[in-house]
Amino acid sequence: MATFRSLIRGIIHGDLPPVGEKIIWRGKPKPLPTYEGFDAYWVDSGTSALALTIIAAKQLHPEVENPEVIIPAYGCPDLVAAAVFAKVQPVLVDIGKDDPGYDLDQLENAINDNTIAVIAVNFLGISDRLAEIKAVLPNNILLIEDNAQCYKAISMPDKIIGDFAITSFGRGKPVSLLGGGLALIKTTYRGKINVTNIIKKPKRKAVATITKAIIYNLLLTPQVYWLINRLPFLKVGVTKYKGLEEIISLDTYKEKIITANIDQHLASKQHPGYELANAANLSSLYKDRLIHPLRIPILNNNQSTPPEHQLKNLGITQLYKKSLINIDKVDDIVSPGQYKNASDMAKRILTLPCNHTVKDTHTLAIKGLFS
């Protein structure tokens, strides 16, 4: 009977999708945005954009024979893939306690003569302590701002502290084209680096882009997403390491529609957030670092996680269920170590939807799970 009720509920109400903005795939083309003080490189993915900046950092340090780049111990394995493609050794540094940003003491201790750059990740709209990170870095070490999960941070170039910054236009990102990325490199480095020869010509055609956009928009319908969420062979939300094989320029059709999708995102309204009795709301804890949340990350203080079907109904996801050191293939690339805070976050973190599809009934139900 319970299964039948769940089936009827899914057919009627569906599941809250993780994001709310559909892809604008037609309309009058608009010029690409420009970013004062930075050269823009439009490529096929956020991973490609990040790899491009690591390569640029490597070119600025030809004297370093075994270059290293520091990355947070909790995050997307694409951080590792980008470093591997650039032929730079990724070095993990633990995050702070109940904080997606670096433990600054551990960061400072990890810097050595092989360090060429530090990647600071904007986590679902919560930026790292960029000014403090910049202050502990020696002048020769470059700062890369990874804003894959927060386009708005890169849309204000006068506030970018890093030498480089990137964002992603992949599935589930703030501005999604189901693929694409942007790397910004300070114009002061012109003549000192050359990354254009690494970027290959695009392969994808307009028909494929349009078809995928239509399907993606359909999947954002709650009833359809409910079905997708329950097909185990699709492995929705599974985090795994995937190597980067090449960097390709953003295809011309996506170039025509990207600005309309950026404008849509910057004009979007979001759910105001959640006050939960038995969970730490990171967006509230670090509201001074919050720019434009993609989702609301919380740390569950309950002894157990609510039932999976309830999480799915309300668009709640566990994001990265493992710290980077515990992800298959990553553990073969990075040096072993104890990353206590990263492991704790992986066990406790849940992310809540904050897009325009969230209604008061959803908010009340979510509060009930953590009361």
Side-chain angles (χ1 to χ4, degrees):
M1 182 64 71
T3 302
F4 179 74
R5 284 199 299 267
S6 177
L7 176 64
I8 296 301
R9 186 217 165 276
I11 293 173
I12 296 173
H13 300 289
D15 287 351
L16 269 179
V19 293
E21 294 169 19
K22 296 184 177 182
I23 299 173
I24 300 172
W25 57 269
R26 57 185 171 184
K28 186 177 180 181
K30 296 182 178 181
L32 288 171
T34 57
Y35 304 84
E36 188 175 355
F38 291 86
D39 290 321
Y41 298 85
W42 300 85
V43 291
D44 61 320
S45 71
T47 312
S48 291
L50 184 58
L52 209 65
T53 62
I54 299 173
I55 291 169
K58 186 179 175 183
Q59 291 179 355
L60 291 168
H61 285 283
E63 77 285 356
V64 180
E65 292 184 9
N66 301 300
E68 297 176 353
V69 60
I70 293 175
I71 63 176
Y74 181 76
C76 179
D78 288 348
L79 295 167
V80 178
V84 170
F85 181 87
K87 295 182 172 57
V88 173
Q89 177 62 40
V91 175
L92 301 184
V93 168
D94 205 3
I95 57 175
K97 180 174 175 54
D98 295 352
D99 186 337
Y102 284 113
D103 178 311
L104 293 181
D105 290 335
Q106 294 196 45
L107 173 62
E108 191 168 8
N109 290 336
I111 295 170
N112 59 47
D113 291 341
N114 290 326
T115 307
I116 62 169
V118 171
I119 298 174
V121 174
N122 182 304
F123 185 74
L124 298 175
I126 302 173
S127 67
D128 209 326
R129 291 168 287 178
L130 298 170
E132 294 177 60
I133 291 174
K134 192 71 172 176
V136 304
L137 296 184
N139 291 333
N140 64 322
I141 294 181
L142 300 150
L143 178 59
I144 302 172
E145 292 188 31
D146 184 334
N147 295 312
Q149 298 174 349
C150 184
Y151 175 80
K152 193 167 186 179
I154 209 171
S155 71
M156 303 177 286
D158 58 316
K159 295 184 179 180
I160 295 175
I161 294 175
D163 302 277
F164 315 123
I166 71 102
T167 196
S168 172
F169 306 117
R171 179 170 58 88
K173 296 300 190 293
V175 181
S176 177
L177 296 181
L178 302 180
L182 170 63
L184 298 184
I185 297 178
K186 278 187 174 179
T187 54
T188 52
Y189 296 121
R190 285 178 185 170
K192 300 176 183 178
I193 62 168
N194 180 16
V195 294
T196 53
N197 61 332
I198 301 166
I199 305 172
K200 298 183 178 180
K201 291 183 179 180
K203 301 175 182 178
R204 201 174 299 279
K205 296 181 179 179
V207 173
T209 299
I210 294 170
T211 302
K212 287 190 173 185
I214 293 172
I215 294 172
Y216 177 78
N217 289 349
L218 179 64
L219 294 181
L220 291 183
T221 305
Q223 290 76 12
V224 177
Y225 194 72
W226 175 87
L227 176 62
I228 296 299
N229 240 349
R230 283 153 182 79
L231 297 177
F233 60 87
L234 291 181
K235 298 181 179 180
V236 175
V238 173
T239 301
K240 61 182 180 179
Y241 176 85
K242 182 181 179 182
L244 178 64
E245 297 180 357
E246 57 186 352
I247 298 176
I248 304 171
S249 179
L250 188 69
D251 72 66
T252 53
Y253 189 82
K254 287 181 179 177
E255 284 189 358
K256 293 177 181 178
I257 63 173
I258 184 63
T259 301
N261 284 275
I262 288 172
D263 292 344
Q264 172 185 243
H265 169 67
L266 293 177
S268 67
K269 294 183 178 180
Q270 295 168 298
H271 186 272
Y274 307 83
E275 293 299 327
L276 306 173
N278 208 11
N281 185 330
L282 298 186
S283 295
S284 295
L285 284 176
Y286 305 113
K287 58 184 177 182
D288 57 321
R289 290 156 48 191
L290 186 66
I291 300 175
H292 196 283
L294 175 61
R295 293 177 62 78
I296 303 295
I298 65 170
L299 295 180
N300 184 17
N301 294 327
N302 286 321
Q303 292 296 317
S304 59
T305 302
E308 186 176 4
H309 73 276
Q310 290 183 318
L311 299 180
K312 288 181 176 179
N313 289 160
L314 296 169
I316 302 173
T317 65
Q318 292 180 273
L319 201 64
Y320 313 126
K321 299 179 183 180
K322 298 179 180 180
S323 59
L324 282 174
I325 193 66
N326 293 314
I327 293 178
D328 288 343
K329 297 184 181 180
V330 172
D331 55 352
D332 295 328
I333 297 169
V334 299
S335 299
Q338 297 295 320
Y339 307 100
K340 180 181 177 182
N341 295 330
S343 296
D344 180 64
M345 183 164 288
K347 292 174 185 175
R348 296 169 56 206
I349 195 164
L350 295 168
T351 70
L352 314 181
C354 61
N355 58 71
H356 65 83
T357 64
V358 180
K359 309 300 181 187
D360 289 342
T361 52
H362 301 130
T363 302
L364 289 172
I366 288 171
K367 285 182 178 180
L369 290 179
F370 300 98
S371 61

